[in-house]
Amino acid sequence: MIWSLSFAPLVPLWALIAAAVVALLLVVGALVLRLPAWPLRALAMALLLLALTGPALEREDREPLSSVVSVIVDESQSQRLADRTSAAAEALTALEQRFAGLPGYEVRVTRAGRGDGATADGTALFSALADSLSDVPPDRIGGAVMITDGQVHDIPARAADLGFNAPLHALITGREDEIDRRLAIARAPKFALVGSEQIVTLQLQDRGVTASGGRVPIVIRRDGEIVSQQMAQPGASIDIPVTIAHGGNNIFEFSAEVLEGELTDVNNRVVVTIEGIRENLRVLLVSGSPHAGERTWRNLLKSDASVDLVHFTILRPPDKQDGTPINQLSLIAFPTRELFSVKIDEFDLIIFDRYERRGVLPLLYFDNIARYVREGGAVLVAGGPDYAEGGSIYRTPLSPVLPAEPSGMIYEEPFRAGISEVGNRHPVTRALPGSNSEPPAWSRWFRLVDATIRNGETLMTGAEDKPLLVLSREGEGRVAVLLSDHVWLWARGYEGGGPHVALLRRLAHWLMKEPDLEEEALRLTSRGAEVVAERQTIGETVGDMTLTLPGGETRNLTPTEVSPGLWRATAPAPDLGLYSVDDGTRKALVHVGPPNPREFTDVLSTVETLAPIAGETAGSVRRLAGADDRIVVPRVVPMRRATSFAGDGWIGFRTTEASILRGIDRYPLFQGLLGLALLLGGVSFLWYREGR
């Protein structure tokens, strides 16, 4: 409650000033003339002038406002190490109890840590502090407390950038004698050719120890499998050679031996993802018997800029003798030895398009082709009547790796190619354009070679549900057999054509082991603030999967089928680091965030990072752990003005003088009977005095 005097003149200000001047002249005249009772005359005129000013007493009803104190609790990944979380919780409880016993304080608790964004790097506490006080006037802010391990990465350059003039205190979790080992990436490529050897440079750092030990083993894993081991000296860099095994992401994990007594082993591991890029794929296309669709394969492969095509068409087999002199022939001899013996391993795919045995390729070289397949090569047989007849390529040493054994029967009737149940789940034929309608929205074919499937999977069917497209794996390689030579009808647009480009391109890339076309695969990707696990299978069901977080925690994932053969599960990705998913037979990994996250650059608790800015605000930085590892929380002291807001065992906070005006009561002094009594009293006293 505040009392004050206010004025509300009853006449204009100029009239009031004129009256005051006249009164002053009269008083001076009375003084000069030595008139009796001139002081009373002056008093009477003064009272009259005062009444004209409209004086009044005012009483303000004000409600004092509380001082706002922001408490920021660090919940970053490094704060979860050791017993820091429990220490922070104990400190927060003690602070809340201390403030509860002090009137005039409002405490705002904010839990923070990781910055904004799914891949934000480092601990962001000051941005959370600014957000918590964004609606508070600066004169109401009593101060701030941060409960953290000291590893904060968004510290302002100056205290003036905080936006308030109040103390900042920091209560540090953790102990002074902590030690830790860290493995960091110094240099690593992002792209490399498949089959090439690349160098990854790592740095091994031991922190918090006075003397480094001996050499430390580092285990290297590629896609979850151990490939080698190297030795490294703490404090030094090491170059580790890695081989790019396949196209797509090659995930290399490097892990250093755990240091005894270290704070955490999470930063003993680093992950490098190198995208494998294939050089132009080398394809050998051998065309045999001439037919209407002979150029379909050539046109398709030549249109793919990533394919180097070697194409041979057998126009003059050895048994064709027409007497033409050799020097008049423009044809070249088929380089069988060079292609199928010397350079066969240089090809990624060999295609036989309506090839039949006519003495061009000796049987010995079919043994080489079978070996080439078992050792990782790929063969595609696009067969027509030649595959069913006596000169079939199946009647060669290549037959052990071919999945379809011809019966000798050929169906010459119209049919529409269909997708089998397995084909609906296989990436090569799943969602093939036009397959969703019944019948499929593509043209008919008119020839099918009957065959018995010995192994492999039938993805497409033809007349009478006979196999049309069969895929199989042999050793490390792959084989595909297309039991019709009428795919060219789709290419020529007959009856509207069909998806020949999509089908043949997927087929060729599956044979060349494109990762996205694997029929059995487990993938883990990062998408925003979550990770997505995908299980591709040609089976009908899949089991649950186990997701392992960077800190070692595990979660069970139950996938749902999003399309035939493709199952998916998502989970939050709250932390930066390496995530892995395991379904019992396969394992996939993904790294969320930067390769060297700031959060784990240094995990040792420290008072040094926050000391400068806390000192500028007259605050303090102190550890919570006492001499006997007990948590010691300082006392809270309210202070109005001070040059230092901290002392031995206590921390201080400003108390605000701000208040809210609830109402004003006004009491005029010269109004009503009181004003009349004063004026009459003054005049009466003057008359009485002059009468004497």
Side-chain angles (χ1 to χ4, degrees):
M1 187 176 299
I2 300 175
W3 290 91
S4 61
L5 181 64
S6 66
F7 296 91
L10 302 177
V11 296
L13 184 60
W14 63 267
L16 190 62
I17 295 174
V21 171
V22 171
L24 181 61
L25 292 175
L26 292 175
V27 171
V28 172
L31 178 62
V32 172
L33 297 177
R34 298 181 179 274
L35 295 178
W38 68 266
L40 294 178
R41 295 174 183 271
L43 177 62
M45 287 185 285
L47 288 175
L48 180 60
L49 289 173
L50 183 61
L52 292 176
T53 61
L57 288 176
E58 290 186 351
R59 185 187 65 180
E60 296 180 356
D61 184 12
R62 289 185 173 272
E63 178 183 345
L65 294 176
S66 59
S67 298
V68 179
V69 175
S70 178
V71 179
I72 307 298
V73 182
D74 184 356
E75 292 189 344
S76 61
Q77 287 177 259
S78 62
Q79 180 67 7
R80 302 176 203 161
L81 303 178
D83 56 353
R84 296 177 181 178
T85 301
S86 59
E90 185 175 342
L92 175 62
T93 301
L95 279 177
E96 289 178 329
Q97 291 175 350
R98 283 163 170 70
F99 276 109
L102 294 176
Y105 281 99
E106 175 190 344
V107 178
R108 296 186 178 183
V109 178
T110 303
R111 302 180 184 275
R114 184 168 163 185
D116 295 333
T119 58
D121 190 14
T123 300
L125 300 187
F126 282 88
S127 59
L129 173 62
D131 292 341
S132 68
L133 298 175
S134 60
D135 61 337
V136 182
D139 61 339
R140 284 193 59 199
I141 298 177
V145 185
M146 290 186 175
I147 305 176
T148 175
D149 57 8
Q151 296 296 346
V152 184
H153 303 108
D154 64 341
I155 302 176
R158 303 172 305 158
D161 298 332
L162 293 175
F164 59 83
N165 183 23
L168 170 68
H169 303 285
L171 304 180
I172 305 300
T173 58
R175 302 189 306 273
E176 290 184 286
D177 58 348
E178 295 169 340
I179 61 174
D180 186 63
R181 170 170 288 164
R182 174 178 178 256
L183 196 61
I185 302 170
R187 185 173 61 253
K190 293 186 177 296
F191 307 93
L193 293 176
V194 174
S196 66
E197 186 176 85
Q198 302 295 317
I199 299 297
V200 176
T201 303
L202 303 177
Q203 291 179 340
L204 184 64
Q205 303 167 350
D206 285 353
R207 298 180 181 272
V209 289
T210 56
S212 298
R215 292 164 65 83
V216 177
I218 296 179
V219 177
I220 299 97
R221 293 178 173 85
R222 181 180 59 223
D223 298 329
E225 301 294 331
I226 296 178
V227 293
S228 64
Q229 179 174 304
Q230 298 277 349
M231 302 297 292
Q233 184 69 34
S237 298
I238 179 174
D239 293 336
I240 299 180
V242 295
T243 301
I244 309 304
H246 55 78
N249 288 337
N250 292 255
I251 301 178
F252 295 93
E253 178 187 355
F254 306 89
S255 56
E257 184 181 64
V258 176
L259 178 64
E260 184 178 358
E262 71 171 315
L263 191 60
T264 178
D265 62 354
V266 171
N267 56 355
N268 290 29
R269 298 186 302 165
V270 293
V271 173
V272 174
T273 301
I274 303 177
E275 183 175 351
I277 301 175
R278 294 183 181 273
E279 292 184 280
N280 279 3
L281 302 170
R282 298 201 68 197
V283 178
L284 173 60
L285 173 60
V286 181
S287 298
S289 303
H291 65 104
E294 185 173 348
R295 296 189 64 85
T296 300
W297 281 104
R298 176 181 176 84
N299 293 340
L300 176 69
L301 295 170
K302 290 292 287 185
S303 66
D304 193 335
S306 65
V307 171
D308 287 338
L309 177 65
V310 178
H311 185 197
F312 281 92
T313 301
I314 302 173
L315 299 177
R316 184 183 174 90
D319 60 353
K320 184 176 182 181
Q321 301 294 333
D322 57 3
T324 304
I326 296 299
N327 59 3
Q328 295 182 18
L329 288 175
S330 61
L331 305 178
I332 64 172
F334 193 14
T336 55
R337 181 178 179 277
E338 182 180 9
L339 293 177
F340 295 102
S341 179
V342 179
K343 296 184 176 181
I344 186 172
D345 293 328
E346 296 181 5
F347 291 101
D348 297 291
L349 173 63
I350 299 175
I351 301 175
F352 290 100
D353 181 24
R354 286 201 60 172
Y355 178 87
E356 62 178 312
R357 291 187 298 113
R358 301 178 66 180
V360 176
L361 191 61
L363 294 180
L364 173 65
Y365 292 123
F366 285 103
D367 275 328
N368 288 344
I369 299 172
R371 175 195 57 79
Y372 156 81
V373 170
R374 295 189 181 99
E375 292 180 357
V379 167
L380 169 62
V381 176
D386 55 275
Y387 193 72
E389 296 170 352
S392 170
I393 195 174
Y394 190 83
R395 315 300 176 188
T396 68
L398 188 60
S399 62
V401 301
L402 295 178
E405 180 181 357
S407 65
M409 181 181 297
I410 300 175
Y411 290 90
E412 299 277 358
E413 60 182 70
F415 66 89
R416 293 186 189 273
I419 308 297
S420 67
E421 289 188 9
V422 173
N424 280 325
R425 297 190 289 270
H426 200 290
V428 171
T429 49
R430 179 176 57 215
L432 203 62
S435 62
N436 293 331
S437 60
E438 184 60 39
W442 49 57
S443 68
R444 296 173 295 169
W445 292 0
F446 297 90
R447 182 183 293 142
L448 177 68
V449 178
D450 183 48
T452 301
I453 307 306
R454 298 187 300 107
N455 53 49
E457 303 291 343
T458 300
L459 305 190
M460 298 183 71
T461 58
E464 300 181 12
D465 286 333
K466 296 291 183 178
L468 175 60
L469 175 62
V470 183
L471 307 185
S472 72
R473 295 171 180 261
E474 294 293 335
E476 298 296 324
R478 304 182 180 190
V479 180
V481 177
L482 184 61
L483 295 168
S484 176
D485 59 344
H486 278 188
V487 70
W488 64 272
L489 293 172
W490 283 2
R492 299 282 181 85
Y494 173 74
E495 292 184 344
H500 74 288
V501 173
L503 173 63
L504 299 184
R505 183 163 289 166
R506 290 186 197 176
L507 182 58
H509 283 277
W510 177 85
L511 287 165
M512 292 182 285
K513 302 179 182 179
E514 180 69 30
D516 291 341
L517 293 171
E518 293 292 323
E519 66 271 31
E520 296 291 338
L522 179 62
R523 305 181 185 93
L524 186 63
T525 56
S526 171
R527 186 177 63 189
E530 62 184 13
V531 289
V532 181
E534 288 187 342
R535 176 71 167 94
Q536 164 63 47
T537 181
I538 57 175
E540 296 182 357
T541 60
V542 298
D544 288 352
M545 299 179 287
T546 301
L547 178 70
T548 303
L549 277 63
E553 306 93 338
T554 60
R555 296 178 181 175
N556 189 64
L557 301 181
T558 301
T560 57
E561 191 172 21
V562 294
S563 62
L566 184 62
W567 301 70
R568 182 178 297 155
T570 61
D575 300 331
L576 303 179
L578 182 66
Y579 290 76
S580 64
V581 66
D582 193 328
D583 68 351
T585 58
R586 291 171 177 80
K587 186 177 181 180
L589 306 99
V590 69
H591 187 82
V592 175
N596 286 323
R598 296 172 67 188
E599 184 64 28
F600 289 105
T601 299
D602 188 357
V603 296
L604 303 184
S605 62
T606 178
V607 299
E608 297 177 359
T609 57
L610 291 171
I613 192 167
E616 285 189 57
T617 64
S620 64
V621 179
R622 64 188 72 201
R623 288 187 178 273
L624 286 169
D628 54 356
D629 287 343
R630 289 189 306 106
I631 301 302
V632 179
V633 181
R635 293 180 294 109
V636 175
V637 178
M639 307 176 73
R640 285 197 176 274
R641 295 177 182 85
T643 57
S644 177
F645 286 86
D648 186 15
W650 62 272
I651 53 177
F653 297 90
R654 283 182 51 197
T655 57
T656 183
E657 297 180 357
S659 61
I660 297 177
L661 181 62
R662 295 297 185 184
I664 298 178
D665 294 328
R666 194 167 187 274
Y667 303 99
L669 297 180
F670 286 90
Q671 185 174 356
L673 294 177
L674 176 62
L676 181 61
L678 288 174
L679 291 176
L680 290 178
V683 173
S684 300
F685 187 74
L686 174 63
W687 172 77
Y688 170 76
R689 182 68 180 84
E690 287 186 344
R692 295 197 48 104

